[in-house]
Amino acid sequence: MFGSKKISFAIKVVIITLLATSILTACNKSIEPEPRRDSSPLTCRKPQYLKAGDKVALISPSYYTPMENVNKAADVLRSWGLEPVIGPNVGNIYEKKYAGTTDERFSDIHWALSDPTIKAILCNRGGYGTIQLIDKLSLREIGRSEKWIIGFSDICTLHGAWQNSGIMSIHGTMSSFLAQGGTDATSTLVRDILMGRYPKYEIPAHPQNIEGIGQGTLVGGNLCTIAPNVGSLADATLHEGIILFLEEVGESMRNIDRQFNILALNGVLNHCNGIILGEFPDCGTEFDYKSIEEMLRSYILHYNIPLLCGFPAGHDDVNLPLIMGAKTTMTVRPTGSTIEFSLDGEQQTVNTADIPTLKRGENNIERNMRLAGKIN
């Protein structure tokens, strides 16, 4: 009798232990983050092109933008036949720089994604702050919404999340620039893409180019924004068969070297079928390299992939849009290069050498007048 009680007690202990283990296992699974890395090829869907009367949300995921600029950008959108809708938290300021708290800035993204009448999202400004939003973003929500998001600089975090959600986006101008008038190619080419007329770019030859043809899905953006995101939900650089776009502004050569090596050490360059370098204005010259392009080329040479330098996108005067997540072909020849997207819609050829740039000593008002033909 006593022996049977001992056996019964032992069985109870075993059952309780198994139950406790199951509960702990279930709890651990519930808090386990979803996988952050996916090296499979990346295929993204194109959001619907916009038509007259469609709503475009204006949001500030990073730094604060003066409402004067936001309102002027909204006027430009109206001139394009679109209906701007300003996010509820756009006018907020937090800790002197941010456009609201992390929750407020994320709330405007969620608001824009969840409203079915909003067809595209225009970011007002970059700066810093989107890295704080990564773990709040829902890739499923982004994927279900299938909406364009437009921006550059710090907004490249959101581009990565969009691509990981299987949705294309536009690396291009924001409200702070649109507020200057919206009649330049930097602005009108974004408008054209939204309306279904996308560019095929012709780019002059560059001395640091590496010849060849690369095909893949276009990802990337601002170097110091995307490199810290490696391994996160907003990292689209670890997929196989990518075309990587990079640009930067106001950074030392050593920091650009550091951030680029972060990508290389994490295997990003092993996944590249080609690399496009945008502009690098106001960047350091502390090493003996003649340019940032020459420094980065010294690394890229080892990967036997084409390199296209000097594409006018990023933080310089001209910031031509790129369709992130699109199947892209880059062709680099001694006489010049091309970037071509595989999309439905109407293709227009854009020779980047024909895009007017800011003349030395000229301010933006004078530039806009010159573009309008009012001054030479």
Side-chain angles (χ1 to χ4, degrees):
M1 187 75 171
F2 184 74
S4 64
K5 284 184 178 180
K6 290 181 71 173
I7 293 171
S8 177
F9 177 75
I11 292 173
K12 288 179 180 179
V13 170
V14 170
I15 292 172
I16 291 170
T17 301
L18 289 173
L19 286 171
T21 302
S22 299
I23 292 169
L24 286 172
T25 302
C27 289
N28 286 335
K29 284 183 178 179
S30 68
I31 61 173
E32 183 181 354
E34 60 182 293
R36 302 276 177 163
R37 292 172 178 243
D38 183 359
S39 61
S40 62
L42 184 61
T43 300
C44 296
R45 303 186 301 279
K46 178 188 66 60
Q48 289 186 353
Y49 291 127
L50 273 56
K51 61 184 184 301
D54 280 344
K55 291 182 180 179
V56 178
L58 286 78
I59 66 170
S60 297
S62 302
Y63 277 176
Y64 167 77
T65 307
M67 287 305 299
E68 179 184 6
N69 288 348
V70 177
N71 290 328
K72 287 181 178 178
D75 288 339
V76 171
L77 293 178
R78 290 188 190 96
S79 74
W80 294 352
L82 302 171
E83 182 181 343
V85 186
I86 297 174
N89 293 294
V90 164
N92 296 352
I93 306 177
Y94 177 70
E95 296 291 355
K96 190 179 179 179
K97 288 282 191 180
Y98 296 115
T101 64
T102 303
D103 286 341
E104 288 170 341
R105 287 178 282 127
F106 168 74
S107 175
D108 278 6
I109 296 176
H110 175 69
W111 160 77
L113 289 171
S114 60
D115 185 339
T117 68
I118 291 173
K119 303 303 181 184
I121 303 169
L122 174 67
C123 297
N124 293 319
R125 183 187 172 186
Y128 176 74
T130 55
I131 196 171
Q132 302 161 350
L133 309 178
I134 291 176
D135 284 342
K136 294 179 177 292
L137 296 171
S138 167
L139 300 187
R140 291 184 182 89
E141 182 179 34
I142 296 169
R144 284 195 302 265
S145 74
E146 291 197 15
K147 300 180 184 184
W148 294 106
I149 191 166
I150 308 125
F152 70 106
S153 191
D154 193 55
I155 306 305
C156 293
T157 294
L158 301 183
H159 288 306
W162 252 247
Q163 271 74 83
N164 278 343
S165 303
I167 304 298
M168 297 182 195
S169 58
I170 300 174
H171 181 283
T173 192
M174 296 184 283
S175 295
S176 296
F177 192 91
L178 281 179
Q180 298 177 21
T183 59
D184 54 282
T186 291
S187 304
T188 57
L189 284 172
V190 168
R191 176 202 63 197
D192 289 350
I193 293 171
L194 289 173
M195 301 295 186
R197 192 165 182 244
Y198 62 92
K200 173 186 176 182
Y201 289 117
E202 297 180 347
I203 307 102
H206 191 284
Q208 299 301 332
N209 280 353
I210 300 174
E211 295 174 32
I213 299 174
Q215 293 180 317
T217 302
L218 184 63
V219 301
N222 180 256
L223 176 59
C224 289
T225 296
I226 67 169
N229 291 341
V230 168
S232 76
L233 289 177
D235 175 25
T237 65
L238 290 176
H239 292 275
E240 292 290 344
I242 61 171
I243 300 294
L244 181 64
F245 166 69
L246 298 173
E247 62 84 25
E248 194 45 79
V249 61
E251 290 289 343
S252 64
M253 271 192 168
R254 65 180 179 274
N255 195 38
I256 291 174
D257 184 274
R258 179 187 294 114
Q259 302 301 325
F260 189 80
N261 272 285
I262 288 173
L263 297 180
L265 290 169
N266 279 276
V268 172
L269 271 63
N270 294 320
H271 298 154
C272 290
N273 289 344
I275 295 178
I276 299 169
L277 296 183
E279 303 287 359
F280 293 85
D282 303 322
C283 289
T285 56
E286 66 267 35
F287 300 137
D288 282 340
Y289 294 109
K290 295 177 183 177
S291 64
I292 301 297
E293 290 86 352
E294 183 184 51
M295 179 177 73
L296 297 182
R297 184 180 190 270
S298 68
Y299 292 112
I300 296 167
L301 277 170
H302 302 290
Y303 292 87
N304 297 315
I305 56 176
L307 170 65
L308 192 163
C309 298
F311 182 76
H315 289 76
D316 217 341
D317 177 52
V318 176
N319 180 20
L320 302 186
L322 291 166
I323 305 171
M324 312 307 287
K327 296 298 182 184
T328 304
T329 300
M330 54 176 289
T331 304
V332 185
R333 297 189 176 95
T335 54
S337 305
T338 59
I339 298 173
E340 189 168 2
F341 307 105
S342 179
L343 294 173
D344 64 291
E346 179 187 355
Q347 185 186 78
Q348 62 173 319
T349 299
V350 178
N351 191 325
T352 64
D354 295 336
I355 306 297
T357 58
L358 192 68
K359 293 182 178 179
R360 186 176 297 277
E362 179 183 45
N363 62 38
N364 283 320
I365 294 175
E366 291 171 334
R367 176 181 181 274
N368 288 338
M369 291 177 67
R370 174 166 54 81
L371 293 177
K374 295 178 181 179
I375 60 174
N376 294 319

